[in-house]
Amino acid sequence: MDTTPLIPATSNSVKKNTSAVTTPEGKKAESSSAARLLILQNMVPLATNLVSSQLEAFSTRLADQLFKLSDQAVRPDEAKLSFDAHQLIKRNSTTFYRLVASQINTALTKEVSVFNTRKRAKKEDQYLDNTAQTYEEMEGKILLRNASHALEVLNAEPLVMLNTLIGRILNRMPIDVTQNPFRPEIFVKAVHQAWMELDPNPASHLLVLRLLQPTVFLQLSPILDDINQELMARGIRPEGDDAFDSSSGVSAYLPVQKSFSLDPYLQDKLKRVFSGQIELAYTDPHYELSGLAMVSDTLTNQLDDLDANEEHPDKASIDQQFFEDLRNMQKHHSQEETTNTHFESRLHKVLHASSAQKLSVVERNTIELLARIFDYIFADPSLGNDIKSMMVQLQIPIVRVALSDRDFFFRESHPARTLLDMLGSSGILLDAESASVDPLLGVIGDVIERVQSEFDQHIELFSDVVSDLESYLKEEELKAQAAISQPVQTALSEEKMRVSRELAEHDVAIRVETGEVAGFLEVFLEEQWIRILTIAHSVKEEKPHALENALKTMDDLIWSLKPKNSPEERKELIAKLPAMLTLLNAWLNAIRWDEPDRVLFFSKLAERHAAMARAPLELSPRRQLEIAVNIAQRASNRRLDRFVQEKVAQTDDEATKQVAALERGMWLDFNDEDEQITRYKLAWISPKRSSFIFASRQGDQAFSISIADLEARYRSGTVNTIQANSLVDRALTYALKDLAV
């Protein structure tokens, strides 16, 4: 995600704090107050850039509303005021973009710098105070309150999340929306301030503020969502498990981990399992506890609870003997099961050991629960036999971990649990055809061999091997990103031209929809001038005047063919024609339109201009009415056609939803004509989500596909998304599914 600020920060304090964050001292430096506040300061350029990407669309909506208001206004002064504002924003769109971006950047920077000292404001005092002296000031405050409140309601969900995350940054409860530096009020005030700078006419200030409604204003939801995602990517979590050292963690190099957590019912089941309230039914049909043994175990557990502080000499020896049996079983089966192609959990057999017969209910529950988890893993069709044969060897070490530390089941960041999740995700990455020679499989083998040979009681070993595997995956990810850099640049260029074409089509459509464009001119604009506007939009950042020039030339051309009913209008036409025709020809030369149709177009244009010069100045009321009715009819037909086209384009079937849900890092199976399935990672999504680049894990095979083609493949069933939720989370849900709460 690009977070380059539009206005570079020059604060010395910011630079000093940045160096503090990037020092390798570890968690202490990362979690310091200055580092936490700096994280929030870094969200300002992100928000500013996201606003900048919306400014063109927002400006168009605002200009359209001003024009509509001028057309519908009853009072002439209001109609003129609205039309003048419409013309101002159309002529000075680039200036307006710059003013809005600058005002928002300044406002957010100021808010972030003081927000930690801001007190919660009462709802009724948030916008109104006693400093307003005039009616206009009071009305402005009321309009600001209404606009901000409407945006708060519309964006309630991401705002609540952001309030929570900012509260986590400050190590306190979620803040109030009045303290949130990214609250809608700040954006509304900044946009209004930008307008007041653009237009010195005070009469337009309240007019524009009335129009800043959710349907017209900036779309704040994607901005707030991106800030939330960026904060969580930096280790800030809405729940109480921040990990500021996890920003370069597992999730950055593995398939996207969809947010997943055990629901309250499952959490309650886990608590009951490990409190001894219930005993899991063993899934191995060859093993059944006798009624006497179960009664004996229950009595033993009750005595254990009553005499928790007493010594139990035989208990220690039983545990020691059981762990010794586990170690022997691990050695005995390590070679036997690496060559198996049929996988099943060996943990059911652990419960047959003589030393296991006197384990407590909780200890047996722990082993049975792990047996079910491994049963689920070995039945997972997304994992190949190579990775399963290695995960078989982790069963006994994981049992030893879980019996010593039951946080394995309750804490997602537990190192042993993280290792299982990483291996599950890595199994998705492995190509079934070449897995046996894949270097990743060798790295995984080294990790498991180290766990088997070195693990005794120190769980830190799992943290070490997770770090080793993570480092390897990070190196692969960096190589893959470098490999797709050229396809990304090509896709960006293609999308830029595609978006420019859409903007050009819109520019022409809103003019044709008025019904005032002559038929032959309409064809010319839709076939030739759209090409010119596409080029102008594509170079807008480098040459903003080119777009203004192309739009003005088009507007002048349309105006030149409208009826001229006064001597002054005809004189103005004669005066403008030479310059207009020169510009028109220059633009047509730029797109190399040298076809015979060009001669025919200019011939028709000259005939129309000559006819207008000879036409009578006075038109009869009947003729004026006919012209007005024809124009209104054409405008109505154009708008209806466009509405129908947009409705047809807005298909919202399951395939559309599946593509909309895709995120960078997800893995998809592509089925080719030979029914061969190849797995690719979604390596890149274009800013407008119009094209996607998929690549093999190491980036040596990459291809680009448009959104329309990808949706078509989902509809035909030749592509499927690979679910990459936490493997242990899914396995736990399966293992506890038959337990009644």
Side-chain angles (χ1 to χ4, degrees), residues 457-690:
Q457 292 181 340
H458 300 292
I459 297 177
E460 291 80 7
L461 173 66
F462 285 92
S463 298
D464 293 342
V465 296
V466 163
S467 179
D468 292 343
L469 183 55
E470 184 180 295
S471 297
Y472 177 83
L473 292 170
K474 180 178 180 179
E475 290 177 6
E476 275 203 340
E477 176 72 11
L478 293 174
K479 291 177 183 177
Q481 287 299 312
I484 67 167
S485 59
Q486 186 55 51
V488 166
Q489 292 303 317
T490 302
L492 279 173
S493 299
E494 291 173 351
E495 180 175 77
K496 185 176 183 180
M497 293 306 296
R498 188 161 49 246
V499 171
S500 297
R501 174 81 183 189
E502 291 173 359
L503 293 172
E505 290 172 349
H506 175 74
D507 290 336
V508 171
I510 60 176
R511 289 162 173 81
V512 169
E513 282 178 4
T514 63
E516 298 178 305
V517 179
F520 83 99
L521 180 57
E522 180 182 327
V523 173
F524 168 77
L525 294 178
E526 291 177 342
E527 292 184 357
Q528 306 304 331
W529 206 254
I530 279 180
R531 296 168 57 197
I532 290 170
L533 289 174
T534 300
I535 296 172
H537 275 290
S538 69
V539 298
K540 181 182 62 177
E541 295 179 0
E542 302 85 12
K543 300 177 180 179
H545 296 299
L547 179 59
E548 296 174 10
N549 182 290
L551 291 171
K552 185 178 184 304
T553 302
M554 176 172 60
D555 289 336
D556 288 344
L557 179 59
I558 294 171
W559 170 85
S560 73
L561 293 177
K562 291 181 180 179
K564 304 294 181 285
N565 299 323
S566 69
E568 291 76 15
E569 288 183 330
R570 292 186 178 185
K571 287 180 182 178
E572 185 181 2
L573 172 63
I574 294 171
K576 281 186 173 182
L577 272 180
M580 184 195 74
L581 293 174
T582 299
L583 279 173
L584 193 59
N585 276 292
W587 278 113
L588 293 174
N589 290 337
I591 62 170
R592 298 179 181 178
W593 190 42
D594 298 323
E595 301 170 8
D597 290 343
R598 177 170 175 174
V599 177
L600 182 60
F601 168 74
F602 276 99
S603 175
K604 288 183 179 179
L605 191 62
E607 288 177 9
R608 289 295 183 96
H609 287 154
M612 290 174 61
R614 295 192 299 267
L617 291 176
E618 295 292 337
L619 294 177
S620 67
R622 180 183 179 84
R623 180 55 181 160
Q624 291 180 22
L625 180 60
E626 288 177 353
I627 292 173
V629 169
N630 288 336
I631 289 174
Q633 184 63 45
R634 286 199 300 270
S636 177
N637 291 339
R638 292 295 180 189
R639 292 191 182 99
L640 182 60
D641 290 344
R642 189 178 183 194
F643 176 78
V644 171
Q645 290 174 0
E646 289 177 351
K647 282 296 182 184
V648 170
Q650 292 174 356
T651 55
D652 193 21
D653 59 3
E654 187 61 31
T656 305
K657 294 176 183 177
Q658 287 176 309
V659 173
L662 292 177
E663 299 175 24
R664 181 178 174 273
M666 283 184 169
W667 284 78
L668 279 72
D669 277 345
F670 286 82
N671 195 343
D672 58 24
E673 295 178 356
D674 299 329
E675 297 298 320
Q676 279 219 282
I677 296 177
T678 310
R679 191 163 290 173
Y680 291 99
K681 180 177 71 172
L682 178 49
W684 181 82
I685 304 174
S686 68
K688 303 291 184 181
R689 292 187 69 89
S690 65

